[in-house]
Amino acid sequence: MDEAIALYHQVIDINPHFAWAYHGLGDALAKQGNLEEAVTCYSEGLKINPNSAWLFYSLGEALAELGDLEAAVEYLHKAVDINPQIKINNKYKIIIYKDYEVGKNPKPNFPKDSNAPSQADHKYLGIVKTQKTLSNRNEYVLYRYLDDRGEFDYNLYARVQEAGNQRKLNKVWVKKENIQFLSQYIQEELAQVSYGICHGTRRGLEQAWFREFLNADVMGTEISSTASQFPHTIQWDFHKIKPEWQDFFDFIYTNSFDHSYDPEKCLNAWMSCLTKHGVCIIEHSKYHGVDSTSELDPFGAEHNVMPILINRWGKGNYTVKNVLKSPINDGFETIFFIISKCV
């Protein structure tokens, strides 16, 4: 946890206006039992982003643990008001309901809590031989695709991804404003941008917009056979690389890292494809956390864990260079991890 705290201090030094860094630092301090310092961090984060449900929730949680229930109720209510779908720990629900019972606040409408895969996921799979597992340090969730011998079943993984892609083909998560924002960042960071690749692009909008804003040769990969329907897209499993991709791309982008069956293997492969000063950009939102995992989205980690995992997987070869906040206030709480080689 000391490693996480040091990392978040570094992120804040780089970008003191990044609210999520204060949230991550607060979480790390709270896990160490430093609740008063955590409260200070969450409060600083709220000065930057006063509309963050997660900052209000974490602040309320910390205050509740400190025994300041009146203040805790206020902040927990604000969290639910901003995001009615936020998952409240049962013991804090009790605090809010008690507050409701004495007539101080309206009764909140909590969503049904469930970490189980949806019925829709099971329906299109036909058979389900996956296993939801925690990492050894309980830092992230990763679904495993198993055959009858309990070994990795790549064909099952590919079938799940193909079926999920076809089922969600008309759904678009990428935002043009984010790609424009990232394009500006890339142009400022790199003297020249010639080649880029986007992984897990579904309809191929990412590469189309990067090509527009950067005037560069940008391609995309998609594991599904639907890739052939979209320009500048090839059917390809992003865990694999082509020999000609080694040290070739100026940037790599994805908002589909949660579709990886082996995120460490995947990121190592991507980083080998970057030029010396290239950047890999992983988009991460609240929908990339542990509670959003499923057979279709097998990997999930919270925003405050991701930099730790990336730096650990890098083993000194690559590291989180920067963390950017999306310019869009759409409730997704989207951030971008900027990863570069250690040169």
Side-chain angles (χ1 to χ4, degrees):
M1 199 53 63
D2 290 337
E3 177 187 0
I5 291 173
L7 177 61
Y8 282 114
H9 278 298
Q10 291 176 17
V11 172
I12 291 171
D13 288 340
I14 294 171
N15 184 0
H17 303 293
F18 182 47
W20 270 114
Y22 290 95
H23 186 273
L25 179 57
D27 282 353
L29 290 167
K31 288 179 181 177
Q32 282 193 336
N34 298 322
L35 293 171
E36 292 183 354
E37 291 183 48
V39 166
T40 300
C41 287
Y42 297 139
S43 299
E44 287 298 316
L46 283 168
K47 291 178 183 178
I48 300 169
N49 182 8
N51 296 312
S52 171
W54 289 107
L55 280 166
F56 276 119
Y57 173 77
S58 297
L59 178 57
E61 186 178 52
L63 289 167
E65 293 298 322
L66 286 169
D68 190 352
L69 297 185
E70 184 174 352
V73 166
E74 176 185 353
Y75 291 119
L76 290 171
H77 267 291
K78 286 182 178 179
V80 175
D81 289 342
I82 294 171
N83 181 8
Q85 298 302 312
I86 196 169
K87 291 188 175 181
I88 303 290
N89 186 303
N90 284 333
K91 66 179 178 180
Y92 300 119
K93 286 183 183 179
I94 293 173
I95 294 173
I96 294 179
Y97 273 121
K98 284 183 177 178
D99 183 62
Y100 157 73
E101 288 169 1
V102 298
K104 291 184 179 179
N105 282 292
K107 185 176 181 180
N109 181 25
F110 292 111
K112 181 180 179 181
D113 292 332
S114 174
N115 291 331
S118 69
Q119 289 299 315
D121 288 332
H122 288 280
K123 183 176 180 180
Y124 75 79
L125 284 173
I127 59 171
V128 179
K129 286 189 177 179
T130 58
Q131 191 177 87
K132 187 175 183 179
T133 61
L134 288 169
S135 68
N136 292 335
R137 305 189 188 192
N138 296 335
E139 293 172 327
Y140 60 88
V141 166
L142 187 64
Y143 271 74
R144 300 171 61 203
Y145 302 81
L146 307 175
D147 61 18
D148 292 334
R149 296 170 296 177
E151 298 178 355
F152 176 59
D153 187 340
Y154 177 78
N155 290 329
L156 175 59
Y157 167 76
R159 290 199 305 272
V160 170
Q161 297 303 314
E162 173 86 23
N165 175 275
Q166 293 186 11
R167 183 167 63 92
K168 296 185 175 183
L169 191 59
N170 293 320
K171 291 186 177 181
V172 177
W173 291 101
V174 65
K175 305 290 179 63
K176 189 171 185 178
E177 295 90 336
N178 281 333
I179 300 302
Q180 184 175 19
F181 168 74
L182 292 173
S183 296
Q184 182 177 353
Y185 174 82
I186 292 169
Q187 287 175 321
E188 292 172 353
E189 286 294 307
L190 306 179
Q192 182 176 354
V193 184
S194 300
Y195 301 101
I197 188 168
C198 305
H199 287 304
T201 62
R202 191 174 295 168
R203 298 187 64 85
L205 291 176
E206 294 95 319
Q207 58 263 32
W209 290 332
F210 273 123
R211 293 172 73 93
E212 175 185 343
F213 294 124
L214 294 173
N215 193 29
D217 187 354
V218 185
M219 62 179 293
T221 69
E222 172 55 54
I223 194 172
S224 172
S225 59
T226 58
S228 61
Q229 300 178 27
F230 305 103
H232 312 294
T233 308
I234 64 169
Q235 184 178 6
W236 192 260
D237 179 347
F238 61 33
H239 296 86
K240 305 174 183 178
I241 61 173
K242 295 187 176 187
E244 61 266 31
W245 291 355
Q246 289 278 354
D247 305 311
F248 180 73
F249 293 107
D250 298 304
F251 75 92
I252 296 170
Y253 164 84
T254 190
N255 63 6
S256 302
F257 197 52
D258 55 334
H259 287 263
S260 174
Y261 64 77
D262 188 335
E264 181 176 2
K265 170 186 175 181
C266 184
L267 187 54
N268 282 329
W270 293 356
M271 295 304 295
S272 73
C273 297
L274 285 177
T275 58
K276 183 177 180 180
H277 298 293
V279 292
C280 176
I281 304 172
I282 296 179
E283 181 173 323
H284 189 281
S285 75
K286 64 182 182 181
Y287 297 110
H288 292 88
V290 296
D291 288 338
S292 297
T293 54
S294 67
E295 287 92 344
L296 182 59
D297 307 294
F299 172 67
E302 301 307 318
H303 67 279
N304 57 324
V305 174
M306 283 293 293
I308 300 171
L309 293 176
I310 293 168
N311 288 348
R312 184 182 301 149
W313 294 335
K315 298 176 182 176
N317 296 313
Y318 58 82
T319 187
V320 176
K321 176 182 180 180
N322 204 347
V323 184
L324 306 178
K325 180 182 177 182
S326 167
I328 306 173
N329 186 15
D330 56 5
F332 286 12
E333 300 175 349
T334 300
I335 57 178
F336 306 97
F337 296 106
I338 311 299
I339 310 162
S340 63
K341 291 181 177 180
C342 297
V343 295

